Amino acid sequence: MPKQLFHHLNKFISVSEDEFYNMLPYFEQVCLKKKEILVSAGSLCTHHHFVLEGCLHLYFITDKGVERTVQFAIENWWMTDNLAFHNQTITDFSIQAVEPTKLLSISYEKQEQLLQEFPQLEKYLRSIYQISYGASLVKMRYLLDFSKEEMYFHFTEQFPEFAQRVPQYLIASFLGLTPEYVSEIRAKKRS
Amino acid sequence: MPKQLFHHLNKFISVSEDEFYNMLPYFEQVCLKKKEILVSAGSLCTHHHFVLEGCLHLYFITDKGVERTVQFAIENWWMTDNLAFHNQTITDFSIQAVEPTKLLSISYEKQEQLLQEFPQLEKYLRSIYQISYGASLVKMRYLLDFSKEEMYFHFTEQFPEFAQRVPQYLIASFLGLTPEYVSEIRAKKRS
C-alpha cells in the first residue's frame, strides 16, 4: 500500500526502493472511518497527510454554524493547513474523512528530519506545492468569474468521477452553494 | 538592488555572497512603467518574477469584459501563473505593473538549470510555495465566509499599508466587488 507514495515520488524525482524503505519509518499509517475527524479546528497543526486510499476534506465552520469545505484530497494528494503547518501554530480548519480513508502522516519535526536526510525530496514537495498553489489561483478565478450555476456545472463536468464519488452536500459546500440550490439547478438541467 | 533577493533567500536557507553572485546571471532585471503589461493572457507562460521594487497584479478579463485581480505581488514576492509555468503552457492570466516596478525574472529553463546547480534553492522555493498555498486556502475561506462588506474591512484592516498603496478599484477587483460598492461602504462607514 505505501508503495503508492513510492510511485508518486518517482513521478517528480528519482527515488530507489532502498531509499524509499529508509524514508517510510518517518511516517505513521493512519486508518480513518467514514466521517471520522482527523484534525479539529483550534488544535496545533502538527502533521502533513498523504492519502493512500479514500478522501479527506478540509473545512471550517462559519459564524452561522455552517460547514464550508475549502479543499478535498483524494489518492496521491497531500493535505494540511499549510500556513499553520509552516508556522507550527493553531489551525482554524478541521479535516474529516469523507470515505473510509488510509493515510501516511508525517509530523513537522519528522518531515524536517526526512528532508535533511533526503534533500532530493525538497524538489518533490516544491513541485507538489507549485501545482497546488497554481490550481488554487485557477479556483480563485472561477470563484470571481463564474455564476453559482456555472461553477457547479463546470466542476461536475471537469471532474466527473469526483462529482460521482463525493456527496452532493460537500460539493455544494466546496463551491459556496447551499445543498437546496444544487438540487434546484440539477432538477432544472434534467427538465 | 538585487541584494534584496540575497536577503530574502537567507531568510529561508543559507546562501553565501559568492554563491549569490553566481546565481545572478540566471536572472534578467526588468523595469516596468506604471500600468505596463508584463505578461498577456494567451501567451506562453515562460518566466517567474521576483519583485525588487513596486507592485504587480495578476488578473483575467471576464466574459463581460471586466478585469478581475486574483493576486498582488509587492517587494519580496514571486509571481507567475504557477500552473501554466509548471506545465509550460499558455496562460489565461495577464500580469501588469500597478506602480513603476523593478523585477528579477527567470525563465523556466534557467530556473531548472539554477536549481540543478544550487539544489539548496529547492528548499527556498518549497517554503515560498508552502506559504503562498497556505495563504490562498485562508483567502478561499474568507471568500466563502465573509460578506462583501466584511471582506473589504477585514482586508483593509489586516493590510493597512497595502490598502493605502494600491488603487481602490484594484482592491475592489481583488475582493470581487465593484468600485461603486466600495465607495458606498466606505461612505457608510465614515458617516
Side-chain angles (χ1 to χ4, degrees):
Chain A
M1 174 73 77
K3 263 274 173 130
Q4 217 171 301
L5 178 57
F6 173 71
H7 294 306
H8 199 246
L9 291 170
N10 278 289
K11 277 190 184 175
F12 297 91
I13 56 172
S14 185
V15 171
S16 71
E17 292 222 347
D18 273 2
E19 282 171 321
F20 183 66
Y21 288 121
N22 289 321
M23 291 173 188
L24 268 180
Y26 287 91
F27 293 87
E28 36 195 303
Q29 191 158 325
V30 177
C31 293
L32 299 170
K33 292 183 204 129
K34 185 174 171 173
K35 299 214 171 182
E36 196 173 335
I37 302 284
L38 175 65
V39 176
S40 297
S43 64
L44 195 64
C45 183
T46 53
H47 285 70
H48 200 187
H49 311 280
F50 178 80
V51 179
L52 294 169
E53 194 183 303
C55 180
L56 300 174
H57 74 131
L58 177 90
Y59 65 97
F60 67 95
I61 310 283
T62 67
D63 284 348
K64 289 170 191 147
V66 179
E67 194 181 295
R68 283 291 175 92
T69 294
V70 167
Q71 196 60 265
F72 289 105
I74 55 172
E75 290 80 14
N76 294 339
W77 277 80
W78 286 89
M79 179 169 268
T80 189
D81 171 353
N82 296 281
L83 206 54
F85 183 72
H86 180 83
N87 296 324
Q88 281 300 283
T89 53
I90 301 287
T91 175
D92 293 331
F93 294 104
S94 298
I95 300 179
Q96 185 189 34
V98 177
E99 309 169 351
T101 300
K102 282 187 185 142
L103 308 170
L104 286 178
S105 296
I106 188 166
S107 71
Y108 182 82
E109 293 74 23
K110 294 270 184 191
Q111 182 172 301
E112 290 293 300
Q113 289 165 22
L114 178 70
L115 288 166
Q116 279 212 311
E117 194 176 338
F118 302 95
Q120 67 268 45
L121 289 175
E122 291 283 3
K123 180 179 177 177
Y124 168 73
L125 282 178
R126 191 257 303 170
S127 307
I128 297 298
Y129 277 128
Q130 186 168 330
I131 295 169
S132 306
Y133 178 51
S136 79
L137 290 183
V138 173
K139 187 186 168 196
M140 214 85 86
R141 183 196 152 151
Y142 293 150
L143 281 175
L144 289 172
D145 195 12
F146 285 5
S147 73
K148 293 182 170 196
E149 195 166 331
E150 283 168 339
M151 276 288 279
Y152 179 78
F153 289 114
H154 178 85
F155 182 81
T156 52
E157 277 154 28
Q158 208 173 9
F159 309 104
E161 286 173 37
F162 194 77
Q164 285 276 315
R165 181 171 167 179
V166 171
Q168 286 296 323
Y169 76 93
L170 280 181
I171 294 180
S173 155
F174 180 59
L175 300 175
L177 314 176
T178 63
E180 294 73 22
Y181 183 79
V182 167
S183 301
E184 203 178 292
I185 56 175
R186 292 182 75 197
K188 204 169 88 183
K189 204 186 182 185
R190 271 197 300 272
S191 67
Chain B
M1 174 74 78
K3 263 275 173 125
Q4 218 171 299
L5 178 56
F6 172 72
H7 294 306
H8 199 246
L9 291 170
N10 277 290
K11 277 190 183 173
F12 297 91
I13 56 173
S14 187
V15 170
S16 70
E17 292 222 345
D18 273 0
E19 283 171 321
F20 183 65
Y21 287 121
N22 290 320
M23 292 173 186
L24 268 181
Y26 287 90
F27 292 87
E28 36 195 304
Q29 191 158 324
V30 177
C31 292
L32 301 169
K33 291 180 206 132
K34 185 174 173 175
K35 299 215 172 180
E36 196 173 336
I37 303 285
L38 176 65
V39 176
S40 296
S43 63
L44 194 65
C45 184
T46 52
H47 284 70
H48 201 187
H49 312 280
F50 178 80
V51 180
L52 295 170
E53 191 184 305
C55 180
L56 299 174
H57 75 131
L58 178 90
Y59 65 97
F60 66 96
I61 309 284
T62 68
D63 284 348
K64 289 172 191 146
V66 179
E67 194 180 299
R68 281 293 175 89
T69 294
V70 167
Q71 195 60 264
F72 289 104
I74 54 170
E75 290 81 14
N76 293 339
W77 278 80
W78 286 89
M79 176 168 271
T80 189
D81 171 354
N82 297 280
L83 207 55
F85 183 73
H86 181 82
N87 297 323
Q88 280 299 282
T89 52
I90 300 288
T91 175
D92 293 332
F93 293 104
S94 298
I95 300 180
Q96 186 189 34
V98 176
E99 308 169 353
T101 300
K102 283 189 185 141
L103 308 169
L104 286 178
S105 297
I106 187 166
S107 72
Y108 182 82
E109 293 74 24
K110 293 271 183 189
Q111 183 172 300
E112 290 295 299
Q113 289 165 22
L114 178 71
L115 288 165
Q116 280 212 313
E117 194 177 338
F118 302 96
Q120 68 268 43
L121 290 176
E122 291 284 2
K123 180 178 179 179
Y124 168 73
L125 282 178
R126 191 256 303 169
S127 307
I128 296 298
Y129 276 129
Q130 186 168 329
I131 294 170
S132 306
Y133 178 51
S136 78
L137 291 182
V138 173
K139 187 187 168 193
M140 213 86 87
R141 181 195 154 154
Y142 293 149
L143 281 175
L144 290 171
D145 194 13
F146 284 6
S147 72
K148 291 182 171 197
E149 194 165 332
E150 282 169 340
M151 276 288 278
Y152 179 79
F153 289 115
H154 179 84
F155 181 81
T156 51
E157 276 155 27
Q158 208 172 9
F159 309 104
E161 285 173 39
F162 194 75
Q164 284 275 315
R165 181 171 165 178
V166 171
Q168 287 296 321
Y169 77 91
L170 282 180
I171 294 178
S173 157
F174 180 60
L175 300 174
L177 314 176
T178 62
E180 294 74 24
Y181 182 79
V182 167
S183 301
E184 203 179 295
I185 54 176
R186 292 182 75 198
K188 203 169 91 183
K189 207 187 182 187
R190 270 198 300 269
S191 66

